[in-house]
Amino acid sequence: VERFQPRRADREGMRARIGVAPCEILVGLVGRLDPVKRHDLFLQAAAVAAIREPRIRFVCVTPRKAHLPAALRSLAEAESLRGRLHWVTAGADVASWYRALDLFVSTSSSEGLSNSIAESMACETPCLVTDVGDSAFLVGTGGRVVPSGDAMALARGMLEMAAHPGARRRAMGQAARERIARHFSLDSLVDRTAEILSCVAGGTRP
């Protein structure tokens, strides 16, 4: 939580880098280009949401330069996404991209306890996630959960979050960080582990 935290200067700088205005809503997916991450689903939902909400812009952040398969390239070239979809590469500066977003989206078909969801939440970014693995448990009230594999549900989620006043999205982001800091930070992990070990050593149930 020390590394992943909100920074206004980072937010403004990263958005300016791809030409996103303060009044626009930046929706992003952060993750490796892998079938399990379902970039195709993200692009399908984005194309629908873009038609209905002119303020939305989209970014896909990958750890290395993206070489899109033909199927993804075709989805990315949808008319409604022209000039509104960006592909960027991030390494050590990935936290800055979380801070730039108004909405983080996880479209994965499989997850454990997702680092990228937790990292975005720690940066006070609301999340829209598919109901796989521990994603719903992790998000809590810091975002919205939709069924896995449902592009229209994702599009509706994007539009619903875009319709919220900025103050409401910021409040959701603050709740997201508070949840991560309280339940999933390193300090929290150490304290709970020590408590459990103490109970075990004393012969009681944690």
Side-chain angles (χ1 to χ4, degrees), residues 4-206:
F4 295 96
Q5 56 180 290
R7 288 180 189 161
R8 186 173 181 82
D10 271 11
R11 171 181 169 81
E12 294 173 350
M14 301 309 274
R15 290 167 71 94
R17 184 182 296 187
I18 56 175
V20 175
C23 61
E24 293 179 312
I25 298 165
L26 185 58
V27 176
L29 185 158
V30 179
R32 68 188 186 277
L33 199 62
D34 185 290
V36 76
K37 298 301 182 182
R38 294 300 307 269
H39 285 74
D40 59 327
L41 197 66
F42 178 82
L43 295 173
Q44 290 166 15
V48 173
I51 293 171
R52 302 179 186 178
E53 175 52 80
R55 296 176 301 159
I56 294 187
R57 300 277 293 275
F58 304 92
V59 63
C60 291
V61 182
T62 61
R64 57 186 60 86
K65 189 173 181 179
H67 297 286
L68 300 184
L72 282 185
R73 191 162 56 249
S74 177
L75 290 170
E77 291 171 352
E79 183 175 355
S80 62
L81 295 179
R82 289 178 186 170
R84 297 169 66 182
L85 170 66
H86 306 271
W87 294 85
V88 300
T89 304
D93 62 343
V94 66
S96 298
W97 283 109
Y98 290 129
R99 296 173 187 127
L101 301 177
D102 295 294
L103 177 65
F104 171 88
V105 180
S106 173
T107 51
S108 297
S109 59
S110 177
E111 283 288 355
L113 191 76
S114 168
N115 284 342
S116 58
I117 294 174
E119 290 166 357
S120 66
M121 291 174 68
C123 291
E124 293 192 356
T125 303
C127 296
L128 172 65
V129 305
T130 47
D131 192 6
V132 296
D134 285 328
S135 295
F137 166 69
L138 183 58
V139 166
T141 59
R144 180 176 172 184
V145 182
V146 298
S148 176
D150 190 335
M152 291 306 297
L154 278 164
R156 287 193 295 271
M158 291 176 182
L159 291 167
E160 179 182 307
M161 295 295 285
H164 289 334
R168 183 172 178 184
R169 285 196 302 273
R170 288 191 293 274
M172 291 179 70
Q174 290 164 359
R177 178 172 171 82
E178 181 180 347
R179 177 169 174 77
I180 293 300
R182 179 177 297 177
H183 299 292
F184 301 99
S185 68
L186 180 59
D187 287 346
S188 174
L189 173 65
V190 170
D191 290 345
R192 284 185 294 158
T193 301
E195 180 183 352
I196 290 169
L197 291 175
S198 178
C199 289
V200 171
T204 61
R205 294 180 62 86

